[in-house]
Amino acid sequence: MARRPLPRILSTGSTQLVRGRDLARTAADSATDVLHPLITISRGLRRLAAAGRRKWAGTPKDRRGPLLFLVASVVLTVALVPYGPLLAVITLMAAAAWQGRDRTPSTPAGPDEVQGKRLESLYEALVPYFSVPEDPAPLYAHGGEWGKAFDSYEFDDTGRVSHLTIRYPAYFTDGEADSRARIEQLLHAKSGRGREYHFAWDEEGNQLTVAVLPPLPTDIAAQRFVTAPGETVLGFTDPAGVPRTLPLAFGEDRRDVPPVIWRTGVRSTEPHLLAVGGPGSGTTTLLRSIALQALQHGDVLIIEGGGTGEFACLAGRAGVLGIECGPAGAPAGLEWAARETERRLLAAHRARQAGLTPPEDTRRPLWLLLDRPTVLGNLAPADGGKDPGTLLQVPLRHGRAVAVTVVVAEQFDAMESLGEAVLAHTRARVVLGPASSGWVEAVLGAPPHTTPAPDVPAGRGYARLGTGPVHRLQVPATPDPYDEATSETHRQAVLALLPGHTPPVDAPPVAEAPADPVRVAAPGPVGVVAEG
């Protein structure tokens, strides 16, 4: 049987389909241009009708009758006036054309002359780092086109770069920390100092995103945070850093702010905390904030090495076992804490052997807060006492199993004096105050993904929980309410969080009175007395 020839559409149909598609697209564009006024008026009429429906729905029922009468009167008046219907239609079409106009803001076609020079300068500065002589088609070359390397860019009101997406060649060693640090330092210098930049490296896509971070809020005062037992708010960070927000009060207003939450307890992987900073950096404020949160569900023992009375507001309060300020009282308090940890371990072990629930006193959280313990460690040999650092080994090693948490705050120049047990068991770390990237990495174990700002407020720094990411941190304002420099708003906020006073043993109850900030006496269940 003879084979029939193939139809001609297979050979010439593709060309005809392409031509037909082009003609249809051209006709559609032409129709859109011709009918653009009609489309605009239709869109405006739709918006006016929607506004009328909203106005009618928002009118109370007792006022709808007079409103209908008013509209009918206007329509009748317009109908009786000469040329009234024509003028009404013209007015309606004009209003519809105005409401139906395209309100999308026009975007500039590209950067202006000054912005283009900034991008060109950035591109030229990156050429020595992102190019090699062996590359046959280099993405970066002197005199090249920066538009191929920068996918997106944004500028702030001052004309400086606020967001930039950079493409780099695949052979760049983005897996090495030194190579990345050089690029980040260069971009920080060329984009403008005095701001904090966040660097997001996409090794798979060979892209680097640079973004300017807004300053963290410093007006967050101490308050009751919406947290579960075992959760402590260290401070607040960027919205992209954590998947959770907390509702906070700012005077009469309320807004949601992302927190850095530290979880303690039996199942915590970071049961103890180390905070490091310089003078005036806010480490004592952090301890005071942690103490106010811990007193909601547990007991607190405070060791103050500075002896400045920063924790006088907590003296004699319910749940405060003691505030030790001298080289003789601090070892006594820590020895009791070690024995209490051992007692809890034995009681919990016996209860589990008997198949019972551990006693309630072994599950109530006990917090040991130490502010600058190395000062007391230096004075202990002269007074014949023990170094507080050596007495912390038992609570640090075994405290997690019996709800004993240790928080240590120290300065940068005294970190070497901290014992090995403190450095080994404090997996949650905080760095406050001005610090270089090297200092932050030395304390946290990882460099920050942002450039440290030269001038930071008190309580501003970085936090890292275990092996997690490094977060920017702003500690809530928790000043000493007995300090004369404290504002009245912050003073009342802290005083409102303090628990009530506990009357001394064998003494009649007395009215509450402010504690003496010079000599602090805090009798507690363990009989620990502070020395001023």
Side-chain angles (χ1 to χ4, degrees), residues 351-352 355-360 363:
R352 293 189 182 96
L356 303 175
T357 303
E360 179 65 26
R363 292 183 284 123

Side-chain angles (χ1 to χ4, degrees), residues 198 237 440 444-450 462-465 467-472:
H198 180 267
T237 184
V440 176
L444 303 183
H449 294 289
T450 62
Y462 297 92
R464 189 188 187 202
L465 305 178
T467 58
V470 179
H471 300 284
R472 287 203 307 167

Side-chain angles (χ1 to χ4, degrees), residues 231-476:
E231 293 183 344
T232 303
V233 176
L234 299 180
F236 301 90
T237 184
D238 302 298
V242 293
R244 175 179 175 182
T245 59
L246 289 181
L248 300 180
F250 293 84
E252 298 180 356
D253 300 332
R254 298 185 69 86
R255 67 173 183 258
D256 294 338
V257 182
V260 177
I261 294 182
W262 172 40
R263 293 175 175 83
T264 58
V266 179
R267 294 177 176 83
S268 174
T269 57
E270 303 87 21
H272 309 295
L273 175 72
L274 173 62
V276 184
S281 59
T283 54
T284 302
T285 299
L286 175 60
L287 288 187
R288 197 180 295 112
S289 174
I290 293 176
L292 293 177
Q293 298 179 63
L295 288 174
Q296 299 182 61
H297 308 286
D299 301 323
V300 174
L301 174 62
I302 301 174
I303 308 296
E304 185 183 0
T308 56
E310 293 287 344
F311 300 93
C313 61
L314 298 173
R317 301 283 179 171
V320 180
L321 303 181
I323 303 176
E324 297 295 343
C325 306
L334 294 179
E335 286 182 0
W336 173 86
R339 292 195 301 269
E340 172 66 10
T341 304
E342 295 174 350
R343 184 196 68 80
R344 291 187 176 204
L345 287 171
L346 291 176
H349 180 65
R350 291 168 182 168
R352 293 189 182 96
Q353 281 188 332
L356 303 175
T357 303
E360 179 65 26
D361 59 349
T362 64
R363 292 183 284 123
R364 179 173 175 80
L366 172 62
W367 293 74
L368 307 179
L369 307 182
L370 293 86
D371 189 11
R372 300 191 64 188
T374 57
V375 176
L376 299 176
N378 296 332
L379 299 177
D383 211 15
K386 295 182 180 180
D387 185 1
T390 60
L391 299 173
L392 286 174
Q393 294 185 7
V394 174
L396 286 171
R397 293 178 178 176
H398 308 289
R400 178 178 62 176
V402 287
V404 177
T405 304
V406 179
V407 181
V408 180
E410 194 50 81
Q411 295 187 2
F412 284 112
D413 54 359
M415 276 195 61
E416 297 180 355
S417 301
L418 294 174
E420 295 183 0
V422 175
L423 298 177
H425 292 87
T426 51
R427 292 173 49 84
R429 301 287 182 90
V430 173
V431 177
L432 298 180
S436 62
S437 299
W439 276 107
V440 176
E441 183 177 2
V443 177
L444 303 183
H449 294 289
T450 62
T451 54
D455 300 322
V456 295
R460 173 68 174 82
Y462 297 92
R464 189 188 187 202
L465 305 178
T467 58
V470 179
H471 300 284
R472 287 203 307 167
L473 181 72
Q474 178 63 51
V475 178

Side-chain angles (χ1 to χ4, degrees), residues 29 70 84 90 96 146 159 173 216 238 249 304 356 394 412 434 438 492:
D29 295 339
L70 178 62
I90 294 175
W146 56 263
T173 55
L216 294 176
D238 302 298
E304 185 183 0
L356 303 175
V394 174
F412 284 112
Q492 295 300 327

